[in-house]
Amino acid sequence: MFSSARSSAVIPTLTLLLCLPVLLFFVAPRFLPPRQITISLPDELDDLSLFHKAIAADSANLSRRPRHRLPSTKSHLSSSLRSPKIAFLFLTNSPLHFSPLWELFFSNVTHNHFNIYIHADPFVGIPPPTGVFSGRIIPSRRTQRSSPTLISAARRLLASAILHDPANAYFALISQHCIPLHSFNHLHNFLFDLNRLSPDFEFPSYIEILSNESTLWDRYNTRGENVMLPEVQFDEFRVGSQFFVLNRKHALMVIKDRKLWRKFKLPCLNIQSCYPEEHYFPTMLSMQDPNGCTRYTLTRVNWTDSVNGHPHTYRPPEVSPELIHRLRESNSSYSHMFARKFSPDCLTPLMEIADSVIFKD
């Protein structure tokens, strides 16, 4: 009888032990941080090959350009620019839900003024985009939040755009949750306004660069204390929005960099402070050419009620002409050109005010 009781106690115990791996498989992801994706050596070598090709192509195009003296008037400079283009770099891990709105944005604009490039996470199975986005996906790799894969994806987009068209003069990084706040002509006229030229006849880059954030120390040490040394001192470390509009000079700086990338690609120990894509670009450009950057982003984000590092997501009831006008407002002397984060079901109310509000400048 004692043996029978012991056997009956063993059976549930064995059952629990056998079920434990299954339970952990389903339950653990809810409580444990996701395992960080590492960048494989083959992927790293593929990227380096792409970067070398883009840099070489840019150098070859530069050597073929006529060596004009610096123009003495703005009108001469304007004629020498020859119709510069904006490269729109869409970084996504889901379908481009707002493609109909972007189609309107690009409508009645010739391809002499823009190019589109899409980095689409191949592990998600995104349907092939249509319309103006058709055939614009570049060779892409898996991406993950709070990992350096987002830096790699942005660098891949920059290199692809530099290699593809020497006329690409500005490079705007866009997410699938972004919407335009102005017409294409308004954006193009703003970016290539000759009054914005520096004394060296260079247009600025629009990237947020912050040095006084309360979380700066935690973010700096997210890979381990003083791991960023000696390449990046704490007083050189910067943070800012990952969504930028870079000029060609700065886009080339990004894909030429090897020194800082060796630090920023290291895995994070503290996931809560790990946002490499918000650290790498502001830090690198602040170190290499701080005067060439405005330190402001052209993409409006609402952080007033962020959750787990995600900004406020706008829902259909919030979409209105008043919201668009409010999102355009900026702390700088110019308007925001893009805004995020919008839920996919905002498409219908956005389309309803596209012509009358969004694209009416």
Side-chain angles (χ1 to χ4, degrees):
M1 184 171 180
F2 176 76
S3 175
S4 174
R6 186 169 59 180
S7 299
S8 62
V10 168
I11 292 173
T13 303
L14 288 174
T15 304
L16 181 62
L17 289 172
L18 290 172
C19 293
L20 191 59
V22 178
L23 290 171
L24 287 173
F25 179 82
F26 288 103
V27 175
R30 298 175 180 270
F31 301 98
L32 299 176
R35 181 175 175 271
Q36 279 190 297
I37 299 173
T38 56
I39 299 171
S40 68
L41 181 58
D43 286 352
E44 185 93 36
L45 293 176
D46 284 346
D47 284 347
L48 285 174
S49 175
L50 172 63
F51 299 164
H52 286 311
K53 290 177 183 176
I55 294 166
D58 184 79
S59 298
N61 289 322
L62 187 63
S63 65
R64 287 195 293 265
R65 292 172 197 161
R67 296 182 179 276
H68 297 308
R69 295 174 60 189
L70 285 176
S72 57
T73 66
K74 292 176 182 176
S75 59
H76 291 162
L77 178 61
S78 180
S79 63
S80 71
L81 286 175
R82 293 184 179 179
S83 191
K85 297 182 181 181
I86 305 171
F88 290 85
L89 316 177
F90 286 85
L91 176 54
T92 183
N93 59 1
S94 69
L96 297 176
H97 299 289
F98 296 112
S99 57
L101 184 64
W102 285 103
E103 289 275 1
L104 283 179
F105 176 79
F106 291 117
S107 65
N108 301 319
V109 180
T110 69
H111 282 278
N112 293 329
H113 291 92
F114 75 95
N115 283 304
I116 294 174
Y117 307 88
I118 305 170
H119 188 287
D121 189 327
F123 282 74
V124 177
I126 298 171
T130 59
V132 73
F133 296 98
S134 178
R136 304 314 305 154
I137 295 181
I138 68 167
S140 307
R141 299 287 185 271
R142 188 179 180 186
T143 56
Q144 182 189 48
R145 185 170 177 259
S146 299
S147 82
T149 58
L150 290 175
I151 302 176
S152 292
R155 297 176 87 201
R156 220 169 276 133
L157 282 163
L158 289 169
S160 298
I162 290 170
L163 179 62
H164 173 250
D165 195 338
N168 285 330
Y170 264 118
F171 303 80
L173 188 64
I174 308 289
S175 89
Q176 74 270 35
H177 302 292
C178 277
I179 68 163
L181 294 176
H182 288 280
S183 69
F184 178 91
N185 287 336
H186 183 94
L187 172 65
H188 193 276
N189 292 339
F190 166 79
L191 290 177
F192 297 109
D193 180 355
L194 298 179
N195 291 315
R196 299 188 183 279
L197 281 167
S198 71
D200 295 327
F201 294 94
E202 292 179 342
F203 288 110
S205 285
Y206 299 89
I207 177 170
E208 187 176 52
I209 300 176
L210 304 172
S211 60
N212 58 354
E213 291 294 288
S214 60
T215 59
L216 206 63
W217 180 251
D218 289 337
R219 291 185 177 215
Y220 178 72
N221 287 315
T222 189
R223 294 163 190 83
E225 189 169 353
N226 294 326
V227 166
M228 302 302 291
L229 296 174
E231 286 83 355
V232 183
Q233 303 287 331
F234 174 65
D235 59 6
E236 296 174 311
F237 187 73
R238 301 290 184 268
V239 299
S241 170
Q242 74 178 99
F243 298 102
F244 50 64
V245 180
L246 300 186
N247 61 30
R248 193 174 183 93
K249 171 186 171 182
H250 291 152
L252 281 161
M253 281 184 184
V254 168
I255 66 170
K256 287 179 180 179
D257 171 62
R258 304 291 178 267
K259 180 180 175 182
L260 297 192
W261 170 241
R262 284 195 293 268
K263 291 293 185 178
F264 281 95
K265 74 176 182 180
L266 296 174
C268 294
L269 303 179
N270 179 10
I271 298 297
Q272 284 69 33
S273 299
C274 184
Y275 304 102
E277 71 283 1
E278 296 180 1
H279 306 159
Y280 173 73
F281 300 103
T283 299
M284 197 205 71
L285 292 176
S286 176
M287 292 175 68
Q288 294 201 25
D289 188 20
N291 294 328
C293 303
T294 64
R295 299 178 175 269
Y296 291 95
T297 178
L298 293 181
T299 301
R300 178 69 179 269
V301 184
N302 182 358
W303 291 103
T304 53
D305 55 352
S306 63
V307 178
N308 295 326
H310 291 284
H312 174 78
T313 299
Y314 292 101
R315 306 293 178 182
E318 298 176 88
V319 176
S320 67
E322 292 73 26
L323 175 65
I324 299 301
H325 293 306
R326 192 164 65 249
L327 292 175
R328 288 174 176 174
E329 296 173 0
S330 168
N331 292 331
S332 186
S333 59
Y334 46 78
S335 168
H336 284 115
M337 299 292 164
F338 313 105
R340 60 184 295 268
K341 186 177 184 181
F342 284 80
S343 63
D345 52 352
C346 285
L347 176 62
T348 297
L350 286 168
M351 292 292 286
E352 290 173 354
I353 62 172
D355 291 329
S356 61
V357 179
I358 298 174
F359 302 135
K360 185 178 182 180
D361 302 313

